[in-house]
Amino acid sequence: MKLKVYAYRISQPCRAVIIFCKVNGIDFEEIRVDLFKGQQLSPEFKEINPFQKVPAIVDGRFKLFESHAILIYLACSFPGVADHWYPADVSRRAKIHSVLDWHHSNLRQGAAGLILNSLLAPVFGLPLDPQAAAKSEKLLSLSLSKIESIWLKGNGRFLLGGFQPSIADLSLVCEILQLELLDEKDHSRILGPHKKVQQWIEDTRNATRPHFDEAHDMLYKAKAKFQLLRSVAANGERESSIKKVLLSKM
Amino acid sequence: MKLKVYAYRISQPCRAVIIFCKVNGIDFEEIRVDLFKGQQLSPEFKEINPFQKVPAIVDGRFKLFESHAILIYLACSFPGVADHWYPADVSRRAKIHSVLDWHHSNLRQGAAGLILNSLLAPVFGLPLDPQAAAKSEKLLSLSLSKIESIWLKGNGRFLLGGFQPSIADLSLVCEILQLELLDEKDHSRILGPHKKVQQWIEDTRNATRPHFDEAHDMLYKAKAKFQLLRSVAANGERESSIKKVLLSKM
């Protein structure tokens, strides 16, 4: 039975899992769980992931969620995944775990918190929260600095000095790509100072093309819709307009 | 050269690493990094962990930080660690990764956020923040419910239905023990409704005794100091008193 990947491509960890499968020739069926329509809350999906979040996978009778755990499982379970994605060597593997753990409490909280509180909250019935967004942006900017000064230190072009990407590169870069949803000014303010991060995003994109851009297509479309929205909506209408845009066909 | 563990036992992930080493007979030198004196900010420690956090380890020339990554590395690198701590089986291992990833964004944020914002902030030069503490408590209570209804579902007494503890049990239980620092009333309000969690804490304590209580001794002492403080300090003096208590010898 083919691997099933439950995903919605607006979600950054979903894109990481999809790109990983495609780049590594893992045959899978993608099952779309539309977060903006609340499909993750259905009783059927609760059977797959009781926490009602994507991504999740079903491999035969085995169910798994949490994207880092999924990436590691796939790297270990499917033949033909090159060693650089998740090295067999215990020390190199440990360093990748270290990056992934760090990601949870730093980059992820910063980037996802900023996008949620400055943009997506209304879709989930929450108010926009400029104060929380500002706090998230601070953590995000600090995280981007640390990626440059610590994780990207080394000879190679990828994290931990790697010459080829690991699951950590994929996971973190997909997280940062979420910032595409911001308006140009905010995007430039945040990413502009981080040239090394920008180059690393390009290198990861190149190492995983054409799947990287293909998996991000829905995000790019959402970005275009937001740009249009910003140009037409008056401030007072903004929250309801955001919801309308996101519920329209992506 | 003996394994070096840089730790401060008030920190919950530090205790998890120390207990793991002791239970598994891993010979190590514990190097105390006093967080309340800011020793994690020293240039010497920055050489060990550029993020200036504990725990961190040095094994020969290999340096590592992030407690989950450390626990996995130790389980894989040292002979004699029983399989149940971090099973070789890819599927069982994947489920443990899933719990550990979930921990980062849920239980950890809830518990650590509550303790920081309601108690420890002044030690780090931050104000107490009742609003943030309330938000953290909500996430914490939800996380404890999910542990009972999802992670502790199964035949065994440990997470994922295990009959013996894994590194996930150790990590999560040490996190919850941090709530010992709260006053009795708050502690009961939060943990009281979760009988299954209470039993699981006892089971984890029993499975790792006497090391569990020994590693928590500093926390129990801090708890006693806080109780004393609460009984004598007027509200206005509270923040500076907390700092004084914590800077006194633990």
Side-chain angles (χ1 to χ4, degrees):
Chain A
M1 201 157 56
K2 208 189 267 190
L3 173 74
K4 287 181 179 162
V5 176
Y6 293 79
Y8 194 54
R9 292 180 176 206
I10 290 288
S11 147
Q12 57 278 41
C14 290
R15 294 194 300 270
V17 169
I18 288 167
I19 295 166
F20 183 82
C21 287
K22 296 219 169 193
V23 169
N24 289 292
I26 295 172
D27 192 22
F28 71 103
E29 178 190 355
E30 183 176 345
I31 296 154
R32 181 179 166 127
V33 181
D34 189 329
L35 301 183
F36 296 150
K37 289 183 182 151
Q39 291 178 346
Q40 76 280 17
L41 305 174
S42 74
E44 294 77 24
F45 187 64
K46 202 174 179 180
E47 290 294 312
I48 308 297
N49 179 0
F51 290 102
Q52 303 173 291
K53 290 189 170 171
V54 286
I57 62 166
V58 176
D59 186 22
R61 290 183 309 161
F62 183 67
K63 297 171 187 171
L64 189 65
F65 47 88
E66 286 289 342
S67 69
H68 294 170
I70 291 172
L71 290 167
I72 292 172
Y73 173 80
L74 295 175
C76 294
S77 306
F78 284 79
V81 175
D83 188 69
H84 62 84
W85 288 107
Y86 185 62
D89 175 78
V90 171
S91 304
R92 289 176 63 208
R93 190 171 274 197
K95 290 282 192 184
I96 289 174
H97 293 157
S98 182
V99 178
L100 291 173
D101 287 330
W102 175 86
H103 178 199
H104 278 295
S105 326
N106 295 278
L107 178 64
R108 160 129 270 230
Q109 275 191 45
L114 174 61
I115 296 292
L116 178 72
N117 290 300
S118 70
L119 201 66
L120 296 186
V123 188
F124 303 109
L126 302 164
L128 294 176
D129 185 338
Q131 207 182 344
K135 205 171 157 188
S136 297
E137 183 178 329
K138 208 170 152 188
L139 178 56
L140 169 61
S141 290
L142 184 66
S143 299
L144 293 170
S145 295
K146 294 293 184 188
I147 288 175
E148 294 201 317
S149 63
I150 297 172
W151 296 124
L152 282 174
K153 216 171 69 179
N155 294 329
R157 288 187 292 181
F158 296 99
L159 298 173
L160 302 165
F163 290 92
Q164 286 179 292
S166 76
I167 55 172
D169 292 276
L170 199 51
S171 178
L172 274 63
V173 165
C174 285
E175 189 75 53
I176 298 172
L177 260 280
Q178 206 70 355
L179 304 176
E180 290 289 323
L181 295 178
L182 298 173
D183 75 27
E184 212 53 60
K185 211 179 77 216
D186 293 338
H187 189 269
S188 297
R189 184 183 68 251
I190 294 168
L191 265 180
H194 302 290
K195 302 293 177 218
K196 215 169 161 182
V197 164
Q198 290 174 37
Q199 183 59 51
W200 163 60
I201 292 171
E202 274 315 294
D203 290 335
T204 304
R205 183 198 304 266
N206 287 331
T208 58
R209 67 168 66 233
H211 311 293
F212 190 93
D213 278 330
E214 193 254 327
H216 281 83
D217 189 54
M218 186 194 259
L219 186 82
Y220 299 143
K221 281 187 181 142
K223 172 188 175 152
K225 286 189 176 193
F226 277 118
Q227 277 170 339
L228 187 67
L229 171 73
R230 284 184 197 102
S231 66
V232 298
N235 267 347
E237 296 167 5
R238 202 160 159 199
E239 293 204 10
S240 67
S241 305
I242 287 174
K243 191 158 186 176
K244 221 177 292 166
V245 162
L246 287 172
L247 288 175
S248 68
K249 199 171 176 313
M250 283 291 171
Chain B
M1 203 157 55
K2 208 188 269 191
L3 173 75
K4 286 181 180 164
V5 176
Y6 293 79
Y8 193 54
R9 292 182 178 205
I10 290 286
S11 147
Q12 56 277 43
C14 289
R15 295 194 300 270
V17 169
I18 287 167
I19 294 166
F20 183 83
C21 287
K22 296 219 169 191
V23 169
N24 290 291
I26 295 172
D27 192 23
F28 71 103
E29 178 190 354
E30 183 177 344
I31 296 154
R32 182 180 165 125
V33 181
D34 189 327
L35 302 184
F36 296 149
K37 290 184 182 149
Q39 290 178 348
Q40 76 279 17
L41 306 175
S42 73
E44 294 77 23
F45 186 65
K46 202 175 178 181
E47 290 294 312
I48 308 296
N49 179 0
F51 290 101
Q52 300 172 294
K53 290 188 172 172
V54 286
I57 62 167
V58 176
D59 185 23
R61 289 184 307 161
F62 183 68
K63 297 171 187 170
L64 188 66
F65 46 87
E66 286 289 343
S67 69
H68 294 170
I70 291 172
L71 289 167
I72 292 172
Y73 173 80
L74 295 175
C76 294
S77 307
F78 284 80
V81 175
D83 187 69
H84 62 84
W85 287 108
Y86 185 62
D89 176 79
V90 170
S91 304
R92 290 176 62 206
R93 190 170 273 197
K95 290 283 192 184
I96 289 174
H97 293 156
S98 183
V99 178
L100 292 173
D101 287 331
W102 175 86
H103 178 199
H104 278 294
S105 325
N106 294 278
L107 177 65
R108 161 130 269 231
Q109 275 192 45
L114 174 62
I115 296 293
L116 178 72
N117 290 300
S118 70
L119 202 67
L120 297 186
V123 188
F124 303 108
L126 302 164
L128 294 176
D129 184 340
Q131 207 182 344
K135 205 171 157 189
S136 296
E137 184 179 328
K138 209 170 149 187
L139 178 56
L140 169 60
S141 290
L142 183 67
S143 300
L144 293 171
S145 294
K146 296 290 185 189
I147 288 174
E148 293 201 319
S149 63
I150 297 172
W151 295 125
L152 282 174
K153 216 169 71 179
N155 294 329
R157 289 188 291 182
F158 297 99
L159 298 173
L160 303 164
F163 291 92
Q164 287 180 291
S166 75
I167 54 172
D169 292 277
L170 199 50
S171 178
L172 272 64
V173 165
C174 285
E175 188 75 54
I176 297 172
L177 258 281
Q178 205 70 354
L179 304 176
E180 291 289 323
L181 294 178
L182 298 173
D183 75 26
E184 213 53 60
K185 211 179 77 219
D186 293 338
H187 189 267
S188 298
R189 185 184 67 251
I190 294 168
L191 265 180
H194 302 290
K195 302 295 177 216
K196 215 166 161 183
V197 164
Q198 290 174 37
Q199 184 58 51
W200 163 60
I201 292 171
E202 273 317 293
D203 291 335
T204 304
R205 183 199 304 267
N206 287 332
T208 57
R209 70 167 67 233
H211 310 294
F212 189 93
D213 277 332
E214 193 253 327
H216 281 84
D217 188 55
M218 186 194 260
L219 187 81
Y220 300 144
K221 281 187 181 140
K223 172 188 176 154
K225 286 190 177 191
F226 277 118
Q227 276 169 340
L228 188 66
L229 171 72
R230 285 184 197 103
S231 68
V232 298
N235 267 347
E237 295 167 5
R238 201 159 158 200
E239 294 202 10
S240 66
S241 305
I242 287 174
K243 191 157 187 177
K244 221 178 292 166
V245 163
L246 287 172
L247 289 176
S248 67
K249 199 173 176 315
M250 283 290 172

